[in-house]
Structures are given as C-alpha cells and as structure tokens.
Amino acid sequence: MLLQKRKEHTEDNQVNLVAYTIILYISSLFVPFIVVASYQSMVYYSRTQWFFTTPLTAYITFAAGMLIIAFALTVYLIFRSRSDGREIKWVTWVLILGSIPVFFMSLTNYYYFDEEGVHYNSLTKIKEEEYRWDKIKKVHIVYRNHQGTTGILEYQFENRNGRKITIPFNDKLSENKWRVEKMIKENNIPITDNFKNPIVD
C-alpha cells in the first residue's frame, strides 16, 4: 500500500514537472516583455528622464534564462530513470542556479536620456555608465539606406576617454531628437555622420 502511494506520488510529480516545463517553453515567448518592463519601470524609471528604453537584448536574455530552466527540467525528465538520481539532480540544480545571473543581467539592461546625459547599463555591467553631455567628445550619427530610403540607424556617443556607447534610433529617441540636438549644440559637441555613404541593406 505504501509503495503504491509512493509510486502515485512520483507519477504526479512527473506529470507536474512536464506541465511546468511546457509552460516555461511557451511563456518564454511573452513573459519577458511583461516581467522586465514592469521591474524596470518600478526600479529605474524617473520623471526626470526624457525617455527610458529596454533594449531587445534584455528581453532575449530573460527568455534565455527561462529556457535554461525548461531545458534543465527536460534533461531531468529524460535521464532521471537512466542514471543515478543524485547525479542528475545535481546537474539540474546547477543549470537552474546558472539561470539566476542571466535573469539579473536582463533586468539591469537599459538606457535612458536626461538633462545630465546618456545613461546606459549593458548586459555585462553591474554599474550604470553615464555619458555626461559636458564630457562627450563627439557624436557620430549612423545612417542606413533600407530599400531605397535613407534614415538614421543609431547614435554613437564618444566620451573623452575614448569609450563609446551606441544607441539605436527608435520612436522614443525620434520624439526627443530635438532635445538631444539642443544639448549637443549647448555643449559644442562635434557631429559626424555617414549620410553620403550610408549603410545599405
């Protein structure tokens, strides 16, 4: 009787794990957009910012973290009956714990503009980088010719130490383009571009 209950309990756990695994695979397609955006809006967003943007890399990285867990559970379900139970559990837990830094990197990947300058936190950095308007040495505007239409692809900001930050030209930046140009003019920042020789794709 006891063995029967243990067997039923084990089978229930296996069914639950299969369900969780499937849910993780499917939800990785949309959950990152909800979780990352919500977290960053609560933790990092301020009214002093002209605009705040989450790079696509943040969503992709969060999805990767979810897929790592789903993969770990998949491996466990496939191999737990074929090898030593403890060994496969260790592998599963190592993979799951390995997803934690992935989630952390995705949640801290963002950039925003304000009166002080350009602020950016990449996937591989813990501390936010600030490119102050009065410390920016040069701005390079990259143009792209896509299907016969030439438009801005991205802005590249270079500080006095030679470090560069690349910001894609999206709708939010387009709406605040006049603010960026105003700060560039006020701080006498040189501008270069490739308008006459745009990137063609």
Side-chain angles (χ1 to χ4, degrees):
M1 186 70 176
L2 183 61
L3 290 175
Q4 179 69 22
K5 287 184 177 180
R6 286 183 177 178
K7 184 177 180 182
E8 290 177 357
H9 181 69
T10 301
E11 289 177 352
D12 287 341
N13 286 340
Q14 185 171 350
V15 171
N16 289 335
L17 281 177
V18 170
Y20 295 149
T21 303
I22 294 172
I23 290 171
L24 279 169
Y25 278 120
I26 296 174
S27 60
S28 66
L29 297 174
F30 61 88
V31 166
F33 295 96
I34 300 172
V35 175
V36 176
S38 299
Y39 175 83
Q40 291 187 349
S41 65
M42 290 188 295
V43 177
Y44 301 115
Y45 177 74
S46 169
R47 291 185 177 181
T48 61
Q49 299 164 1
W50 297 345
F51 69 91
F52 182 99
T53 299
T54 303
L56 183 60
T57 51
Y59 300 119
I60 293 174
T61 304
F62 193 94
M66 295 181 67
L67 291 174
I68 289 173
I69 297 176
F71 176 74
L73 294 177
T74 302
V75 170
Y76 175 76
L77 289 168
I78 293 174
F79 294 102
R80 72 190 185 98
S81 60
R82 301 181 187 179
S83 59
D84 179 44
R86 292 183 179 179
E87 183 179 322
I88 194 61
K89 282 183 179 179
W90 273 107
V91 172
T92 302
W93 277 110
V94 167
L95 286 172
I96 291 175
L97 291 175
S99 68
I100 294 176
V102 176
F103 288 126
F104 177 79
M105 288 189 296
S106 68
L107 293 173
T108 57
N109 182 206
Y110 60 85
Y111 64 86
Y112 64 88
F113 284 60
D114 61 15
E115 292 289 337
E116 300 298 321
V118 184
H119 307 258
Y120 180 68
N121 201 343
S122 66
L123 283 171
T124 57
K125 296 287 179 67
I126 297 177
K127 187 177 179 181
E128 176 184 292
E129 291 183 88
E130 181 184 40
Y131 287 70
R132 294 182 58 86
W133 295 116
D134 58 354
K135 301 294 183 182
I136 293 176
K137 177 184 177 181
K138 181 175 64 175
V139 175
H140 182 65
I141 304 175
V142 179
Y143 284 88
R144 176 182 68 171
N145 185 301
H146 181 64
Q147 297 180 347
T149 302
T150 299
I152 300 175
L153 175 64
E154 61 191 23
Y155 274 72
Q156 295 177 355
F157 299 89
E158 181 179 343
N159 64 17
R160 294 174 185 175
N161 296 325
R163 293 180 63 84
K164 293 181 180 179
I165 179 176
T166 299
I167 304 296
F169 190 77
N170 53 25
D171 292 339
K172 290 184 178 180
L173 181 53
S174 176
E175 292 173 2
N176 291 273
K177 186 172 178 284
W178 66 273
R179 285 193 174 102
V180 175
E181 293 176 343
K182 177 175 176 286
M183 298 308 295
I184 290 174
K185 185 177 181 180
E186 287 181 1
N187 290 275
N188 298 313
I189 304 172
I191 300 177
T192 59
D193 62 57
N194 66 329
F195 182 79
K196 293 183 179 180
N197 187 29
I199 298 172
V200 180
D201 61 1

